[in-house]
Amino acid sequence: MKQQHLFLVRNFCSSLAVALLATELIKIEPAPAIASETPSVNSAIAMKSEPSKTQSIKATKQGYLQAKSSFRHSQASVLLSKQEIGSRESGVGGRELRRLRELRELREKNNHQPSSRSVAPAFTVNHQLPITNYQLPTTVSQQPTTKPNPAQPPANAQVNDRKAQIPSYLNPDANPLRFPTKPEDVQVVGAQPITFQQALDLAQRNSTQLREARLNVERSQAQLRQALAAEYPRLDLETGVTNQGQNLFSEEPEQFFGGQIDTNETGVNGNLSLSYDLFTSGLRPANIRAAEEQLRFNRLDLERTQEELRLNVANDYYELQRADENVRIQRSSVNNAQASLRDAQALEQAGVGTRFAVLQAQVQLAQATQRLTDALSQQRIARRQIATRINLNDSIVVTAADPVAVAGQWNFSLENSIVLAFRNRAELEQQLAQRNISEQQRRAALAELGPRISLAAQYSLNDTFDDDTNFQDGYSLGGRLNLSLFDGGAARARARQEEADIAIAETNFAGQRNQIRFEVEQAFSQLQSNLENIQTTSVALEQSREALRLARLRFQAGVGTQTEVIDAEDDLTQAEGDRVNAILNYNRALAQIQRSISSGQQR
């Protein structure tokens, strides 16, 4: 009889759990359902009220009360989990989700009808993302005549404030040759949140690559001044003082007629010369134009370096955001796994769960903890990567202050974007500048075979001290003609080398043009695909949250399995990661297409 009582109590617990699940799904208060079941329990106990069964009846009542307390505890855990899930609904789309739920609850309250709790998509085509009206022109006739403005980030990110103060302690040491020798010199002492715009400003100010490109421009400017100096005459001054004598170690010769011969004398002399190359067979103008093209090449390289730095900083910042979001997602996964473990343990204690479900929950928690550890490691790496890119102080790491959000929109067609890239890219102009440099160097090499005419003027002055004569001076004027009759073919060989360099520059121009077109098409395609992925992953994220909630309720009611909960948790983690990746991949593609047309630099 005792086994029959326990069997009845377990059946009652199962029916009670099903009633609680139905109550949660149709928004009916659980109190009436429990009250309606209570008389049947009392009547069942009254039918078996023999004196010899008093102890069994007491045990049955105690088991019922424990089961009822366990289910209330599980229901409280479900409500707590719902609050945790609701608190994590932040970022792009969280506000829309809460608003839709409030509107749905208000409509149900006005209609006085219980909610059906159906899984409705939280995002439609007209979701409130910053890129709702993303439209691309389809004709090339509307080609803009100016460069497109860089895509603007969301207003809440506050990355457009270029006057934002940047802490001075973020700057690196002024001595580039500093060499730390102590552990405390490289110890990290703090973290500083920075916005995307602050990261760009720090990179523009502290980047070693950008500083090297600026120094190359200064060097080419000095080379141009050196080449221009050949257009001016050359004026030289040479002067000296000499002391000369005889018979330093030898005997003096015999003196006749008692005279004395002074064999030591001191004198001064000086030469002032003026020279000018009147005709160089094109060597001088070729060197000047080659220096000008080299300066243009280095300035274009500075622009290219700035654009590459902007793209790299953007990718590093988005990678830092991805690492931060991955840590948040994995922590949420750990919390979900802990909640599942608590539910499994509560059901096991109530006698309606199994040890196998508890072990599954423990394994799931261990795996989630391992993924969280890996995410924290990737976060530290991402922080150090961007700190290295923008050359910050060694003792400071930075964190992302901007939330993950769509950075802007692209309002140009594919054809317009390609034409703008061909017009603005510094790499194409660099190849043209390199071709011009090789052409001028070819002319300079052939000029070595031509005649060169130069003029020269000289004035000289000599004076010997302690003599009876005054100083002596003189001048000279003349011209000079130089012509190389035979150099073994060296000049023409140099000219042929430069001709090969011209052909190489032209070939590189064609290859660079094809590469630029590919980059624009690739970034444009990624923009469109990631825009659609943002909408798709937003819907999938809400559906996975609802699926996890239902899977937990089913498991707590005893009609579901722990495997369903684990699968739902994995799906939720995957959906959150997919949505973050879709947004950040869109931002990366937007930064890439901006780089492809060099929209950050006006020329």
Side-chain angles (χ1 to χ4, degrees):
M1 295 297 295
K2 183 177 181 181
Q3 293 180 353
Q4 293 179 356
H5 290 318
L6 293 177
F7 179 74
L8 290 174
V9 170
R10 287 187 179 181
N11 290 338
F12 165 72
C13 291
S14 299
S15 61
L16 179 62
V18 174
L20 289 176
L21 176 61
T23 301
E24 179 63 25
L25 292 178
I26 62 176
K27 286 293 185 178
I28 298 178
E29 295 298 330
I34 297 176
S36 62
E37 296 291 340
T38 305
S40 63
V41 174
N42 293 331
S43 61
I45 296 175
M47 293 173 62
K48 300 177 177 58
S49 58
E50 292 84 3
S52 60
K53 309 300 181 182
T54 303
Q55 188 175 0
S56 300
I57 294 174
K58 291 182 179 180
T60 304
K61 288 184 177 181
Q62 186 176 2
Y64 164 73
L65 294 177
Q66 290 179 357
K68 182 178 179 181
S69 176
S70 176
F71 279 113
R72 285 183 178 178
H73 175 72
S74 301
Q75 188 176 9
S77 301
V78 173
L79 295 176
L80 180 60
S81 300
K82 289 171 61 179
Q83 293 177 359
E84 292 176 354
I85 294 175
S87 64
R88 291 193 296 268
E89 292 177 351
S90 59
V92 180
R95 187 178 303 170
E96 289 79 9
L97 295 178
R98 292 190 295 271
R99 184 177 180 184
L100 287 175
R101 289 182 176 178
E102 292 174 359
L103 291 176
R104 185 169 55 190
E105 293 176 359
L106 180 61
R107 183 174 64 253
E108 295 169 355
K109 182 178 181 181
N110 294 333
N111 296 333
H112 299 283
Q113 295 178 356
S115 173
S116 60
R117 305 297 294 175
S118 61
V119 182
F123 285 86
T124 61
V125 177
N126 295 324
H127 58 81
Q128 299 297 323
L129 286 175
I131 52 174
T132 301
N133 297 323
Y134 181 86
Q135 295 180 357
L136 298 173
T138 58
T139 60
V140 191
S141 59
Q142 299 178 355
Q143 176 180 335
T145 57
T146 59
K147 293 184 179 181
N149 294 326
Q152 300 298 332
N156 59 356
Q158 298 181 356
V159 297
N160 293 325
D161 187 9
R162 293 185 176 273
K163 296 182 180 180
Q165 297 294 330
I166 299 177
S168 59
Y169 54 79
L170 292 179
N171 296 328
D173 195 291
N175 181 18
L177 301 180
R178 186 180 68 90
F179 188 78
T181 57
K182 299 179 180 179
E184 54 268 19
D185 295 339
V186 295
Q187 183 179 5
V188 176
V189 297
Q192 174 68 37
I194 61 174
T195 62
F196 177 71
Q197 186 59 49
Q198 287 176 338
L200 293 178
D201 294 340
L202 286 169
Q204 291 286 335
R205 187 172 62 187
N206 300 333
S207 174
T208 56
Q209 296 178 352
L210 202 57
R211 177 174 175 80
E212 181 181 357
R214 293 193 182 103
L215 292 176
N216 286 332
V217 172
E218 295 178 2
R219 182 175 180 272
S220 60
Q221 289 175 345
Q223 289 178 345
L224 177 57
R225 287 194 294 269
Q226 179 184 0
L228 291 174
E231 292 186 338
Y232 299 93
R234 183 181 181 88
L235 182 63
D236 296 325
L237 174 63
E238 180 183 0
T239 183
V241 178
T242 59
N243 179 274
Q244 60 183 0
Q246 299 177 355
N247 302 323
L248 182 60
F249 297 103
S250 61
E251 296 180 357
E252 297 182 0
E254 295 180 358
Q255 301 177 358
F256 299 96
F257 306 106
Q260 186 176 3
I261 300 176
D262 189 2
T263 59
N264 191 341
E265 60 182 17
T266 302
V268 60
N269 58 75
N271 294 319
L272 181 64
S273 60
L274 178 67
S275 61
Y276 179 72
D277 293 332
L278 187 64
F279 179 73
T280 60
S281 297
L283 177 63
R284 180 171 53 199
N287 290 334
I288 293 175
R289 282 193 287 269
E292 291 174 348
E293 291 296 330
Q294 184 64 45
L295 175 59
R296 178 167 168 259
F297 181 89
N298 288 336
R299 284 176 175 172
L300 291 171
D301 190 68
L302 174 60
E303 178 182 341
R304 182 194 61 80
T305 304
Q306 289 176 340
E307 295 299 325
E308 288 291 338
L309 180 63
R310 179 184 178 87
L311 176 62
N312 293 333
V313 171
N315 289 332
D316 291 342
Y317 195 87
Y318 295 146
E319 180 63 23
L320 178 60
Q321 288 183 325
R322 189 198 65 79
D324 292 341
E325 286 298 308
N326 192 23
V327 170
R328 180 188 65 81
I329 292 171
Q330 297 304 328
R331 282 177 177 168
S332 176
S333 178
V334 170
N335 294 334
N336 292 334
Q338 291 174 348
S340 299
L341 179 59
R342 289 194 298 267
D343 293 341
Q345 291 174 346
L347 292 177
E348 183 188 16
Q349 293 174 359
V352 294
T354 62
R355 180 61 179 169
F356 177 72
V358 175
L359 292 177
Q360 279 187 319
Q362 291 176 347
V363 172
Q364 180 71 9
L365 177 59
Q367 293 176 349
T369 304
Q370 182 179 1
R371 291 193 297 267
L372 176 60
T373 303
D374 296 337
L376 291 173
S377 175
Q378 293 299 323
Q379 184 185 51
R380 290 190 293 268
I381 295 174
R383 289 178 177 179
R384 178 49 57 188
Q385 173 65 30
I386 191 172
T388 304
R389 180 80 64 185
I390 60 182
N391 192 24
L392 293 182
N393 194 333
D394 295 340
S395 60
I396 300 294
V397 295
V398 295
T399 60
D402 294 337
V404 176
V406 177
Q409 60 182 354
W410 189 253
N411 295 322
F412 294 89
S413 67
L414 176 60
E415 292 78 9
N416 287 337
S417 301
I418 294 174
V419 173
L420 286 173
F422 288 161
R423 182 189 305 170
N424 299 333
R425 284 292 290 267
E427 288 86 344
L428 294 178
E429 295 193 22
Q430 275 187 302
Q431 298 302 326
L432 297 178
Q434 184 61 51
R435 182 184 183 278
N436 295 336
I437 291 174
S438 300
E439 176 63 26
Q440 298 303 324
Q441 290 178 349
R442 185 188 69 85
R443 295 181 180 180
L446 294 177
E448 296 290 342
L449 300 177
R452 287 179 292 177
I453 301 176
S454 60
L455 300 178
Q458 184 176 1
Y459 174 77
S460 60
L461 183 145
N462 296 318
D463 185 22
T464 302
F465 299 149
D466 299 334
D467 61 355
D468 296 334
T469 61
N470 294 329
F471 64 89
Q472 299 177 357
D473 60 348
Y475 71 93
S476 64
L477 297 174
R480 180 178 300 173
L481 173 64
N482 292 333
L483 178 61
S484 177
L485 298 179
F486 180 74
D487 63 349
R492 296 190 181 277
R494 282 184 52 198
R496 284 192 293 270
Q497 294 176 14
E498 299 302 331
E499 291 175 356
D501 291 339
I502 292 175
I504 292 174
E506 293 175 351
T507 304
N508 291 338
F509 182 89
Q512 190 67 48
R513 183 190 60 222
N514 297 334
Q515 180 65 27
I516 289 173
R517 180 183 179 114
F518 171 74
E519 291 177 359
V520 174
E521 291 178 344
Q522 182 184 29
F524 193 86
S525 178
Q526 290 176 350
L527 272 177
Q528 291 182 326
S529 62
N530 287 308
L531 176 62
E532 296 177 359
N533 289 338
I534 291 175
Q535 300 175 357
T536 304
T537 55
S538 299
V539 175
L541 177 60
E542 177 59 17
Q543 292 175 345
S544 61
R545 286 173 177 168
E546 186 70 12
L548 177 60
R549 187 185 70 84
L550 295 177
R552 279 225 183 98
L553 290 176
R554 285 171 52 84
F555 178 68
Q556 293 168 359
V559 296
T561 62
Q562 181 70 17
T563 304
E564 294 178 353
V565 178
I566 292 175
D567 292 340
E569 290 176 352
D570 293 339
D571 292 341
L572 177 60
T573 302
Q574 183 68 29
E576 290 181 342
D578 290 343
R579 188 173 185 280
V580 170
N581 290 332
I583 295 176
L584 294 181
N585 289 337
Y586 176 88
N587 293 343
R588 288 191 182 96
L590 183 62
Q592 179 61 48
I593 200 169
Q594 289 177 354
R595 166 67 186 100
S596 298
I597 67 167
S598 299
S599 62
Q601 180 77 12
Q602 297 290 338
R603 285 193 283 110

